[in-house]
Amino acid sequence: MACQALELAMAGLYEELAALHDYDAAVARLWKKTAREEMNHAAQFVLLIETMFDMVSATLADPTTLDRVRRAIENTVEEFSLRPPSVREALVAAIDFEESMSALHADQILVFTSPQCKRLLAAMMAADRGHVAALRAALSKLG
């Protein structure tokens, strides 16, 4: 599924940033924590496919857009491995990606036959959005 691939690409970005910024324990912890959260998002998509797929009546996402965003993330990982970003640059890039992806979360792009499914998925996704706030807080601490 394209949405799962996006989440895995973001996890890869955060894992790369954790390795690049391993000299700063607090920043590396933030990157690792966020990578785990993205892996959880990917697992949620698998759960969705396995348990609620028959309740999805339509998909509002354009597969071309999903693929373009995934490729942009992967290109950024490659670029960062060649030219490591500062912590500030990395945080700004991560926040930009997260903001562009917020409209691509499953609760935004899937139409369910059951309102209960929509509410369940919205609650799952809302519980995982705290990492954007953590990234913003880290950026604010840099001054």
Side-chain angles (χ1 to χ4, degrees):
M1 166 177 242
C3 293
Q4 180 188 21
L6 269 178
E7 300 295 346
L8 293 173
M10 286 299 291
L13 172 67
Y14 293 127
E15 289 168 355
E16 177 71 15
L17 290 171
L20 292 172
H21 296 139
D22 66 345
Y23 58 86
D24 185 327
V27 171
R29 262 193 316 276
L30 174 64
W31 294 134
K32 289 175 186 176
K33 176 184 175 290
T34 309
R36 284 190 307 273
E37 291 170 352
E38 295 297 348
M39 294 297 288
N40 287 338
H41 288 169
Q44 288 172 355
F45 282 113
V46 172
L47 176 67
L48 174 69
I49 294 299
E50 292 175 354
T51 62
M52 294 187 217
F53 187 73
D54 59 334
M55 296 179 207
V56 175
S57 62
T59 302
L60 304 176
D62 172 30
T64 305
T65 299
L66 295 174
D67 188 56
R68 187 177 9 167
V69 172
R70 180 193 51 78
R71 281 187 281 122
I73 296 164
E74 291 170 351
N75 289 342
T76 300
V77 171
E78 187 175 318
E79 182 181 312
F80 283 175
S81 70
L82 296 173
R83 190 196 65 78
S86 68
V87 171
R88 177 181 301 284
E89 290 170 329
L91 285 165
V92 168
I95 291 166
D96 286 347
F97 274 126
E98 291 292 347
E99 287 176 346
S100 69
M101 286 182 53
S102 67
L104 301 175
H105 282 147
D107 62 324
Q108 300 295 313
I109 64 171
L110 298 176
V111 178
F112 292 94
T113 58
S114 163
Q116 291 87 356
C117 290
K118 175 78 172 171
R119 285 194 297 272
L120 172 64
L121 191 60
M124 286 170 57
M125 298 308 288
D128 289 326
R129 288 195 177 114
H131 63 265
V132 177
L135 295 172
R136 287 186 187 286
L139 184 59
S140 291
K141 284 182 185 178
L142 293 178

